Amino acid sequence: QVQLVESGGGLVQAGGSLTLSCSGSGRTFGTGVMGWFRQAPGKEREFVGAVHWNGGGYWYADSVKGRFTISRDNAKNTMYLQMNSLKPEDTAVYFCAKGSTWYRYYDEKDYDYWGQGTQVTVSS
């Protein structure tokens, strides 16, 4: 079993920055793929970015490429999402998730474990 807890959400003005954290525990935490997804009000959950925990590959949605960066601290079992140049359309609940394989890193159906989510609100 894997437990994931997100933190770091909040209210920020457009153009500002936030860093989200995803702390994990469990025997298989340090394997497979870790991803960030978000869900805005009235919209479906969408892929934001992911990292292949062992292979080191990083992937990002086009909408956040160049603005968001995923990093990790293996010793702390923690993944981060640094979000810069935030826009009002980035407002959403952000979730971290873990999957066993990286092949469909963009598909939420391939993730087995999810955190509870953290709210990010970007004001204009």
Side-chain angles (χ1 to χ4, degrees), residues 88-100:
E89 50 263 43
D90 294 318
T91 295
V93 177
Y94 284 70
F95 300 88
C96 68
K98 182 189 180 309
S100 57

Side-chain angles (χ1 to χ4, degrees), residues 26-50:
R27 187 171 58 88
T28 60
F29 177 81
T31 63
V33 64
M34 293 290 297
W36 288 99
F37 290 78
R38 66 186 182 185
Q39 186 168 22
K43 295 187 177 181
E44 294 187 350
R45 191 156 53 187
E46 64 175 3
F47 170 74
V48 174

Side-chain angles (χ1 to χ4, degrees), residues 8-19 67-68 82-91 94 119-124:
L11 174 64
V12 64
Q13 288 188 331
S17 299
L18 275 177
T19 300
R67 300 188 298 123
F68 290 11
Q82 173 68 44
M83 304 184 294
N84 298 326
S85 302
L86 283 161
K87 305 174 182 180
E89 50 263 43
D90 294 318
T91 295
Y94 284 70
Q119 176 71 47
V120 172
T121 303
V122 184
S123 63
S124 57

Side-chain angles (χ1 to χ4, degrees), residues 43-95:
K43 295 187 177 181
E44 294 187 350
R45 191 156 53 187
E46 64 175 3
F47 170 74
V48 174
V51 55
H52 184 201
W53 204 260
N54 301 110
Y58 292 81
W59 305 277
Y60 298 93
D62 287 344
S63 59
V64 307
K65 203 171 292 183
R67 300 188 298 123
F68 290 11
T69 303
I70 293 173
S71 62
R72 58 187 179 170
D73 185 330
N74 290 1
K76 295 182 179 180
N77 278 359
T78 300
M79 176 177 67
Y80 304 95
L81 181 67
Q82 173 68 44
M83 304 184 294
N84 298 326
S85 302
L86 283 161
K87 305 174 182 180
E89 50 263 43
D90 294 318
T91 295
V93 177
Y94 284 70
F95 300 88

